Amino acid sequence: MDIPCTIAEIKCLGWSEVDIVLVSGDALIDTPHSGVAVVARVLLNAGYRVGVICQPRTNTTDDILRLGIPRLFWGVTAGCVDSLVANRTATGKPRRSDDFTPGGENNRRPDRASIVYANLIRRACRPCPLLVLGGVEASLRRIAHFDYWSNSVRRPLLFDAKADAIVYGMAERGVVGLADALRDGSEWRNLPGLCYAAAEVPAKAVELPAYDVLSGREGERDGKRAFMEMFRIFAANQEPATAQLLAQRIDTRWLIHNPPAQPLEGFELDKLHRLPFTHTVHPHDASQGEVRALTTVQFSLAAHRGCYGECSFCAIAMHQGRRVTWRSHKSLVAEAQRYTRHPAFKGVISDVSGPTANMYGYECSRKKSAGACSDKSCLYPTVCEALPVDHRPQLELLQKLRSIDGVRHVFVASGLRPDLIEADKVHGDSYIEQLCRHHVSGQLKLAPEHSEPSVLSLMRKPEIEGVLRFRRKFEEKSRTVGKRQYLTYYFIAAHPGCTESDMIELRKFAQKRLQLNPEQVQIFTPTPSTWATAIWWTGLDPESGNEVFVERREGARQRQKDLLVERLQQRRK
Ligand code: SF4
C-alpha cells in the first residue's frame, strides 16, 4: 500500500478523517532513507491514520487542506535537508536543480520551508490541532542558532514558526509517543526528544544563555562568548544517558529542550526496515516528473545509524547521536532479497552504509549506560582504545549480500574512515582487500577535508598521513586483484582557521603527494548546530577561547576554492 497522499487514497482506505497530516518540502520517496516516509510508516504501523502532503503550493490553501484537518497533529518538515542548504549554494546563489522535486527544477520548496508551511497551516486551519516540526531543518535549529543566510543569530525555529513543539533527532520514538499521548489525553511535554515553549522555566532545568544576550541586545556587547558557551552546554547534553533538561529564555518566554530520546536499538531498526516501504516515488509525485534522488537510494541498504566521528563541520552527532546502532545480518539480507524481487532492480546494491561506511557492528560498551565521554572524543585526535574496532561483522555481511541469487554487485559508496581501518589490526587489511576485490564501483570516497594540521585540528579530523598510508594499501590491493579503480578525495575550502596559504599548501599536497585532481572541493557553509559554525560566528576556538581566523568575505571564500581547483585544472591542461 502506498502512503496516502490524495483524498482518493484516503477514501479507498475507508477513512472518514486522518489522525495526522505530515507536510514535506520534498517529493515522497517511500524508502527508509526518507525521514517523512519513515515517520509515516512508523505511525501507520502503530495504527494511526496518516496522510502526507508534499511540496504544497504556498499561495493557496488548497494543497495543504487536501486531506482535511488532522484529528491529532500536523507534522511539518522542510525535507531531507535544511531548505536554505537545498535552495542556495555556499555563496548564497539560488540552486537551479533539485533532486527531491519532480522534474528536477528547484521551484517547489520555499526558503525556510518549516516556517512557511507552519504559517500556511495556521492561516488555513482555525482552530488548529497541535503543530509539530521535525526533520533536519527543525532539529538543527532547535535552540537559538547562527543563520548564515541572514548573518544573524535567530531564535529557535519553534518561535519563528509559531509551532507547538519540535520532535528533534531521529523521530520514531518521539512521534509515536506524541500521537499516543494526544490520543490518550495525557501529558506530552515531558517526552524525550522534544522541545516546546513555556511561560516559566522548570526548576531543574539547566539554563542556556538567553537569546537577548546572544544577539547582543542584553549584557555582553556582541554575545559571541555567550554563544560559544551556549553551544558547549547544548553539545554536552546530547547523550540520552546523561543529558539534562535545558531551557533558554527567548524574549519573555522559554524554550524547553528535553533530553534526547534513546536511539533505536538494532532489533528496532530491523523491525523498522520490515515495514512495507515501496522503494519508489509515490505515484502522485511520480506523475509530475522524475525524482532523481530515488536513484541514489532505491536499492541501497542503510546498515547503521549514528556516528562517533564528531567532525566539527558535521551535525550528524547532534541529529543521530554519537552512539552507533546497527541492523542484523538477517534483516539486511532479507531486505536485499526483497530488492531482487523488485521490478526495477538490476542486480546492483548501490551502497551498504550509514553516515560513515565502516562503523558497522562495533561500539564502545560504556555509551549505552553511561553515555559517550564528555571530555574526550572517540576518534580525535586518534582512535580511542576503548572503541573495539572490528570490521569482521561488515566483512561477513558483505560476503552474505554478494552471495544472494540475483545480486550481481554490492558496492560501498559512502565515505569511510581510514583511521578505523588502520586501528583494526586483525581485519583491517582484509577489509581493504575485500573492498578492492568486490565493493568499489570505480571510485571509493575518502574525506580528508584538508592537509594542514592547524585546519585539521579545528575540523577535528585525523592527521593526513593516515590517508596516504591507506592509499598505498588501496592501490596495492587493487593491483593485486587486477582492477583499475580510484580514490576520490573530498576537501573543504574556507573552513574556520583556513587561510589562502593553507589552501596553497593543500594544493602542493594534492599535486605532490596525491598526484590527483581533487574535484570534490566544497566551500564551507556554516549550517546550524555544528562546532565549525559556532567558530565561524564567534571567531573563537572552543577549546582555548582564543581568537581564530575566519574567512567571511564571499570573494575570498571562492578564491580559496579556486586556488585548489583552477590551478589543478590548468595543470591538467
Ligand atoms: S571511552 Fe572512548 S570510545 Fe568510549 S565513549 Fe569515551 S571516547 Fe568514545
Side-chain angles (χ1 to χ4, degrees):
M1 169 192 125
D2 285 315
I3 297 167
C5 286
T6 62
I7 198 68
E9 287 168 304
I10 301 278
K11 281 191 182 147
C12 199
L13 288 163
W15 297 349
S16 56
E17 61 178 350
V18 285
D19 299 317
I20 297 146
V21 173
L22 303 174
V23 180
S24 171
D26 294 338
L28 181 56
I29 304 175
D30 188 11
T31 76
H33 301 272
S34 156
V36 73
V38 167
V39 166
R41 288 282 173 205
V42 164
L43 286 166
L44 285 165
N45 186 56
Y48 293 100
R49 295 168 299 179
V50 183
V52 175
I53 294 177
C54 293
Q55 303 186 311
R57 286 170 294 168
T58 54
N59 57 357
T60 162
T61 55
D62 290 356
D63 290 350
I64 205 88
L65 291 178
R66 189 170 70 219
L67 305 180
I69 295 173
R71 197 172 62 87
L72 296 178
F73 70 88
W74 292 93
V76 172
T77 171
C80 286
V81 289
D82 189 285
S83 56
L84 284 157
V85 176
N87 291 352
R88 315 247 151 205
T89 66
T91 51
K93 295 190 188 112
R95 291 188 201 275
R96 281 204 291 274
S97 67
D98 180 8
D99 287 356
F100 291 91
T101 294
E105 194 182 341
N106 189 14
N107 58 1
R108 298 276 295 271
R109 181 192 313 95
D111 286 353
R112 305 193 194 284
S114 305
I115 297 177
V116 174
Y117 295 152
N119 286 338
L120 186 64
I121 291 167
R122 291 274 187 224
R123 266 207 322 275
C125 175
R126 289 190 187 143
C128 184
L130 207 75
L131 201 162
V132 182
L133 308 179
V136 165
E137 178 165 286
S139 182
L140 299 181
R141 293 173 182 265
R142 61 189 186 261
I143 62 168
H145 55 278
F146 173 67
D147 179 74
Y148 167 63
W149 295 270
S150 60
N151 194 32
S152 64
V153 176
R154 288 182 69 108
R155 306 188 302 173
L157 191 64
L158 181 73
F159 286 78
D160 284 346
K162 297 185 181 59
D164 297 296
I166 291 177
V167 178
Y168 70 85
M170 306 305 276
E172 295 93 347
R173 290 193 200 286
V175 287
V176 174
L178 182 65
D180 289 351
L182 292 170
R183 180 198 59 201
D184 301 343
S186 56
E187 180 56 69
W188 54 267
R189 287 177 187 79
N190 50 14
L191 287 168
L194 225 80
C195 296
Y196 60 94
E200 292 180 355
V201 58
K204 56 184 178 173
V206 173
E207 280 187 38
L208 298 168
Y211 172 69
D212 282 352
V213 175
L214 304 173
S215 55
R217 281 167 26 199
E218 187 181 283
E220 200 189 342
R221 194 164 53 84
D222 62 4
K224 301 278 173 79
R225 289 195 184 272
F227 187 97
M228 190 55 92
E229 177 62 5
M230 172 197 74
F231 200 72
R232 192 189 61 71
I233 301 171
F234 172 66
N237 283 282
Q238 299 308 318
E239 281 298 310
T242 55
Q244 302 195 62
L245 183 70
L246 303 177
Q248 183 168 43
R249 184 163 58 78
I250 312 294
D251 304 323
T252 57
R253 295 199 296 156
W254 292 86
L255 173 83
I256 310 300
H257 180 286
N258 290 348
Q262 288 286 353
L264 293 190
E265 299 296 339
F267 75 92
E268 292 170 302
L269 289 174
D270 287 356
K271 203 170 148 200
L272 172 73
H273 283 263
R274 281 202 298 273
L275 297 178
F277 295 98
T278 61
H279 296 271
T280 55
V281 174
H282 187 279
H284 181 71
D285 291 326
S287 67
Q288 299 167 52
E290 185 193 1
V291 179
R292 285 196 300 257
L294 175 69
T295 317
T296 320
V297 297
Q298 188 173 23
F299 300 117
S300 90
L301 293 168
H304 56 281
R305 283 185 179 180
C307 183
Y308 24 76
E310 286 191 286
C311 302
S312 303
F313 47 81
C314 175
I316 284 177
M318 301 296 175
H319 187 68
Q320 294 198 7
R322 271 175 78 186
R323 180 154 83 89
V324 172
T325 57
W326 57 91
R327 295 167 61 193
S328 66
H329 286 184
K330 192 173 165 203
S331 164
L332 285 154
V333 167
E335 189 171 358
Q337 284 167 334
R338 285 198 294 277
Y339 286 174
T340 63
R341 296 191 288 275
H342 196 286
F345 186 64
K346 304 265 188 327
V348 178
I349 293 176
S350 57
D351 196 11
V352 183
S353 191
T356 299
N358 56 332
M359 289 185 183
Y360 176 82
Y362 55 94
E363 181 51 289
C364 164
S365 58
R366 64 159 276 153
K367 279 191 196 165
K368 190 171 174 186
S369 54
C373 296
S374 58
D375 57 348
K376 61 176 179 168
S377 165
C378 307
L379 298 189
Y380 182 81
T382 53
V383 178
C384 174
E385 286 184 0
L387 190 66
V389 184
D390 182 2
H391 289 79
R392 191 182 55 168
Q394 195 181 3
L395 279 169
E396 290 175 354
L397 170 65
L398 292 169
Q399 194 275 328
K400 286 179 189 170
L401 291 171
R402 62 177 187 262
S403 315
I404 295 172
D405 272 351
V407 172
R408 292 186 294 117
H409 296 294
V410 180
F411 293 126
V412 173
S414 298
L416 50 80
R417 296 272 310 213
D419 51 348
L420 286 170
I421 298 174
E422 199 163 40
D424 183 354
K425 302 295 178 218
V426 181
H427 297 105
D429 282 354
S430 34
Y431 184 66
I432 301 178
E433 198 268 338
Q434 289 293 299
L435 280 182
C436 290
R437 190 178 288 279
H438 300 291
H439 303 294
V440 178
S441 76
Q443 298 191 337
L444 188 69
K445 290 178 193 152
L446 295 184
E449 310 296 5
H450 215 285
S451 59
E452 294 313 284
S454 60
V455 183
L456 288 171
S457 154
L458 280 167
M459 291 176 163
R460 298 179 74 76
K461 292 291 283 184
E463 45 99 33
I464 194 70
E465 291 301 321
V467 172
L468 295 172
R469 290 193 292 275
F470 175 81
R471 179 181 185 233
R472 278 194 288 278
K473 287 192 178 179
F474 176 84
E475 289 178 347
E476 183 193 307
K477 298 283 184 200
S478 293
R479 269 195 304 276
T480 311
V481 301
K483 291 204 169 172
R484 283 171 64 86
Q485 47 200 17
Y486 306 93
L487 292 171
T488 309
Y489 303 88
Y490 285 69
F491 293 103
I492 298 179
H495 188 274
C498 181
T499 61
E500 287 195 5
S501 338
D502 290 318
M503 291 307 290
I504 290 166
E505 290 306 313
L506 174 55
R507 187 180 78 214
K508 285 185 199 158
F509 172 83
Q511 288 172 345
K512 292 195 178 129
R513 309 288 301 277
L514 297 178
Q515 293 138 359
L516 282 172
N517 179 12
E519 286 162 5
Q520 303 294 342
V521 184
Q522 284 180 47
I523 299 174
F524 171 72
T525 306
T527 51
S529 286
T530 70
W531 278 109
T533 297
I535 305 170
W536 203 91
W537 170 239
T538 62
L540 299 171
D541 183 317
E543 302 210 347
S544 66
N546 294 337
E547 292 193 359
V548 172
F549 169 78
V550 177
E551 186 53 86
R552 298 191 178 88
R553 299 166 300 166
E554 284 312 330
R557 279 157 51 75
Q558 181 67 46
R559 208 158 51 241
Q560 285 207 12
K561 176 175 176 177
D562 294 345
L563 269 171
L564 189 58
V565 178
E566 282 186 4
R567 297 290 178 94
L568 284 166
Q569 280 171 353
Q570 280 165 16
R571 186 180 145 87
R572 207 159 45 163
K573 284 176 201 163

